[in-house]
Amino acid sequence: MFITLDEIFEEFEDLDPRDQSQYLLEIGYELPRFEDNQKRDEDLVHGCQSQVWLTAAPKDGAADPVLQISADSDAEIVRGLITILLASYEGLTASQVAAYPITDVFDRLHLRQYISPQRHNGLQGMVDRIRNSAIALSGTHSDVPKGEQAGVSVTVKESRAGAETDAPFDAESIRAEFPVLNQLIDGQRPIFLDSGASAQKPKAVIDKEREVQEGYFANAYRGRHAFGARIDEELEASRKRIAAFINAPSERQIVFTPGTTATLNMVAAGWGDRFTKPGDEILITEMEHHANFVPWQQLAKRAGATLRFIPLTNDGRLDMSRLDEVLSKKTRLVAVCGMSNVLGTVNPIAELTRAAHDVGAVIVVDGAQSVPHMTSDVQADDVDFLIFSGHKLYGPTGVGVLYGREDRLEEMEPVLFGGHMIDRVFKDHSTWAPPPAKFEAGTLPIVQAIALGTAVEWSQNVGIDRIHAHEQSLLQLAWDQLTAIPNMQIYGPGLEHRGGILSFRMHDVHPEDLAALLDRKAIMTRHGHHCAMPLHDLLGVSATTRTSFAAYNTAEDVSALVSAIMSARQILRRN
Ligand code: PMP
């Protein structure tokens, strides 16, 4: 490298912001340029305003190889930023690159003050690409013949669900991206096993919220000024990203809402009130969260319809062999969770949808627990509505998503009236804007909706399928150890039918007592009925302890949980 990071710091300190931009251009000129045949489409970094080609390859055959990063751009200022990146990562091994606090470098150089937020996104795109390559490379190349390594650029294939790589999942370095977990609580490492209630936020999401607030905040879809235009652009980019994430045919089918609860109520009122008639049936399950239970119960009351339930098997799955007993031409609507927030049961959505459509019913999927933890495909499953919350998906609170099939959104009535959702307002009546605006009356949770796009991008970069596989491996680990504890009852089905949630109870140990003892070891779980009282009635208990896993949990977390439960048993004298 022709310049070191220390030299860059030194130069920057003496310059005022305008001269710093000039200096970026100057160091950009010095960076070696790619030949035309090196500018390969597969090495293009997404999210950059200008074109950036970037490769990261192992320099040697070590298990944790030194990373050789090369990059070029068609914009000189970006070449300046690349120079800073290359100087920062110079000589580091893949695992060191993955763990390197690059934002500290950006902060020390005050980069945010003189590069546009869009450029900053591009810079983040480069950092993400390098980090993903580093994660993929750390410890994975020792068995590749040396000759084959030279010049191999790591391809972290991008798919809709995100990165596909054979590299081991490095939960520790993922955990390091979550500032709230990088602290000690009474001298102990926090172990957060309550992501089913709300997930923690990676730095990328927190930074995005700050970027919007500090860089270009304005109301959305209103101002034709620079800030307003930028906000609209960011919101639409987020909408598009979310659409791709769940494979929606169009971003016009993605409505920003306040969250799952509000959205389920919206659909019950907006679609349900219009189409449910006396004598109709609404089919739900006893494993539903109250948010996907009470709105339908109330709709049934208003409409003179009957609420019916798909029977459960003894191990807490939907008994599909008895679906015919409850699904008929009378069924107007089926509402079911993608994954139970208590039992962890993953429901057969595609099968349920086919059965619902066969009798002319629509299906509403409460994806609050499923969307953050497994690939969702609204077209393959053919669902009518899919609903989820941002805060369980590593995103902010206050924002959620309603996906609706185009015809369903057309026929659904808005339930909130006001600004933005109208087409024309006359003194005696009004007409509505097309979806999604029709369902987005008033001011949106703008910052949160934009940062939700970043959360989705973060999940895609890590890879939603990889997150799922990681959580399943933690589940297996926890399952094996917890089932070995005497008098331990785990609720719900075996591992092949569930996602990363485990609810349990030990004979004679109250979940609240256990939660308090776990908390003394900075192990955060949830206890209670988890907003699923009918399910707890069915299980015959008033409360359970719930542990729920996310991308940042580690095998060490599981071991700590198990040993804390063992010592809690002793303290509570139940051994
Ligand atoms: N459905 C399920 C399955 C849930 O787990 C939750 C959150 N616990 C909700 C709905 C409600 O989500 P929110 O609180 O974000 O509205």
Side-chain angles (χ1 to χ4, degrees):
M1 207 40 213
F2 61 91
I3 193 163
T4 67
L5 190 58
D6 283 341
E7 285 165 347
I8 295 175
F9 282 147
E10 234 169 75
E11 287 288 342
F12 259 69
E13 264 152 31
D14 297 337
L15 296 172
D16 69 37
R18 193 174 297 125
D19 292 338
Q20 286 172 341
S21 304
Q22 179 63 32
Y23 177 69
L24 265 191
L25 284 172
E26 280 167 19
I27 55 174
Y29 284 129
E30 304 258 332
L31 184 73
R33 289 170 202 277
F34 277 16
E35 300 293 334
D36 281 349
N37 64 1
Q38 282 178 285
K39 296 178 179 172
R40 302 185 313 170
D41 283 354
E42 60 265 39
D43 294 330
L44 274 171
V45 177
H46 301 289
C48 297
Q49 258 178 328
S50 40
Q51 288 196 299
V52 173
W53 299 267
L54 190 149
T55 63
K59 224 177 184 173
D60 52 52
D64 183 15
V66 171
L67 215 56
Q68 171 76 56
I69 304 166
S70 312
D72 192 9
S73 169
D74 54 358
E76 294 306 326
I77 193 154
V78 176
R79 289 166 48 79
L81 295 172
I82 291 172
T83 306
I84 293 173
L85 286 180
L86 299 192
S88 305
Y89 294 127
E90 174 72 11
L92 300 188
T93 66
S95 65
Q96 287 169 330
V97 168
Y100 191 83
I102 191 73
T103 44
D104 291 355
V105 174
F106 302 157
D107 288 347
R108 185 158 165 199
L109 296 172
H110 305 296
L111 280 192
R112 250 176 252 277
Q113 286 176 14
Y114 57 89
I115 65 171
S116 69
Q118 227 154 345
R119 280 245 187 281
H120 200 268
N121 287 350
L123 181 59
Q124 192 58 46
M126 290 189 260
V127 169
D128 290 345
R129 172 71 72 98
I130 293 170
R131 254 186 49 81
N132 281 338
S133 301
I135 290 169
L137 269 172
S138 44
T140 59
H141 277 260
S142 48
D143 51 358
V144 178
K146 222 174 174 177
E148 288 176 25
Q149 287 182 14
V152 179
S153 65
V154 180
T155 353
V156 177
K157 275 186 269 159
E158 292 284 328
S159 74
R160 188 171 61 71
E164 288 167 15
T165 161
D166 293 334
F169 192 92
D170 184 355
E172 277 300 341
S173 71
I174 290 199
R175 182 185 160 97
E177 291 186 50
F178 289 76
V180 77
L181 301 176
N182 292 328
Q183 60 174 316
L184 294 180
I185 297 177
D186 296 333
Q188 306 172 98
R189 160 190 157 110
I191 295 178
F192 193 73
L193 294 170
D194 194 17
S195 306
S198 216
Q200 299 299 346
K201 321 302 168 205
K203 189 160 185 310
V205 169
I206 299 166
D207 286 349
K208 187 70 187 185
E209 289 199 64
R210 178 181 287 275
E211 173 196 302
V212 180
Q213 300 281 25
E214 291 183 353
Y216 46 87
F217 177 76
N219 210 325
Y221 308 123
R222 286 154 174 83
R224 281 292 103 219
H225 44 69
F227 289 173
R230 178 68 198 278
I231 282 287
D232 295 357
E233 204 180 286
E234 292 279 344
L235 263 178
E236 287 312 298
S238 171
R239 209 189 285 277
K240 259 201 173 111
R241 187 170 276 284
I242 293 165
F245 185 55
I246 59 169
N247 199 26
S250 152
E251 68 272 18
R252 304 286 97 205
Q253 290 162 263
I254 301 297
V255 180
F256 286 121
T257 68
T260 302
T261 304
T263 317
L264 285 162
N265 278 278
M266 260 169 78
V267 176
W271 195 92
D273 277 343
R274 177 163 184 204
F275 292 103
T276 316
K277 305 277 177 297
D280 284 351
E281 293 178 355
I282 298 167
L283 187 58
I284 66 168
T285 85
E286 275 166 284
M287 70 170 79
E288 298 312 314
H289 185 283
H290 296 160
N292 197 32
F293 196 118
V294 187
W296 308 119
Q297 183 188 61
Q298 298 305 306
L299 167 64
K301 264 193 181 169
R302 290 195 298 274
T306 306
L307 194 62
R308 302 200 67 183
F309 300 88
I310 304 175
L312 299 191
T313 59
N314 287 339
D315 65 348
R317 286 175 296 124
L318 298 182
D319 190 344
M320 297 299 279
S321 68
R322 295 179 58 196
L323 192 59
D324 286 353
E325 293 172 21
V326 286
L327 183 74
S328 73
K329 293 269 180 224
K330 285 193 206 161
T331 313
R332 179 65 45 232
L333 180 145
V334 178
V336 64
C337 55
M339 175 166 125
S340 156
N341 68 315
V342 178
L343 304 171
T345 314
V346 174
N347 288 322
I349 298 302
E351 195 182 338
L352 279 167
T353 302
R354 269 194 305 277
H357 287 172
D358 280 351
V359 296
V362 306
I363 184 157
V364 179
V365 177
D366 169 359
Q369 295 294 343
S370 54
V371 171
H373 302 286
M374 59 197 71
T375 297
S376 305
D377 186 332
V378 291
Q379 292 191 73
D381 290 347
D382 196 24
V383 297
D384 295 279
F385 296 103
L386 173 70
I387 291 155
F388 56 97
S389 296
H391 67 98
K392 295 184 202 273
L393 179 52
Y394 310 107
T397 50
V399 67
V401 169
L402 165 66
Y403 156 81
R405 232 171 63 176
E406 208 175 358
D407 50 347
R408 298 294 171 225
L409 292 179
E410 286 299 334
E411 66 194 18
M412 177 168 145
E413 298 286 356
V415 293
L416 282 181
F417 304 96
H420 186 60
M421 55 76 65
I422 46 88
D423 168 36
R424 280 295 310 268
V425 176
F426 303 92
K427 272 180 151 172
D428 59 346
H429 76 285
S430 300
T431 55
W432 317 137
K438 178 177 161 188
F439 304 106
E440 293 181 346
T443 295
L444 283 175
I446 296 166
V447 183
Q448 294 83 347
I450 292 173
L452 177 55
T454 308
V456 165
E457 184 179 9
W458 184 88
S459 302
Q460 289 172 315
N461 285 342
V462 178
I464 194 81
D465 292 338
R466 299 181 75 226
I467 293 175
H468 178 68
H470 170 66
E471 290 169 358
Q472 293 300 111
S473 72
L474 295 179
L475 193 60
Q476 174 88 57
L477 208 58
W479 179 275
D480 289 348
Q481 297 178 67
L482 291 180
T483 48
I485 297 176
N487 295 322
M488 168 67 80
Q489 164 94 49
I490 297 181
Y491 299 96
L495 298 182
E496 66 282 17
H497 297 295
R498 69 156 76 215
I501 283 181
L502 270 181
S503 295
F504 58 88
R505 215 182 142 116
M506 277 184 297
H507 183 59
D508 273 356
V509 173
H510 194 278
E512 190 166 352
D513 296 339
L514 179 63
L517 288 175
L518 295 179
D519 187 50
R520 275 169 38 187
K521 301 202 165 164
I523 299 174
M524 295 173 241
T525 57
R526 180 159 176 207
H527 68 277
H529 55 65
H530 318 299
C531 302
M533 280 181 175
L535 177 63
H536 280 74
D537 288 345
L538 189 73
L539 299 175
V541 289
S542 61
T544 52
T545 302
R546 180 181 76 180
T547 60
S548 44
F549 298 115
Y552 40 71
N553 290 120
T554 64
E556 191 185 329
D557 292 355
V558 175
S559 308
L561 170 73
V562 174
S563 63
I565 290 175
M566 300 296 277
S567 65
R569 279 181 80 236
Q570 282 182 347
I571 293 166
L572 296 166
R573 298 187 193 290
R574 308 291 179 210
N575 50 336

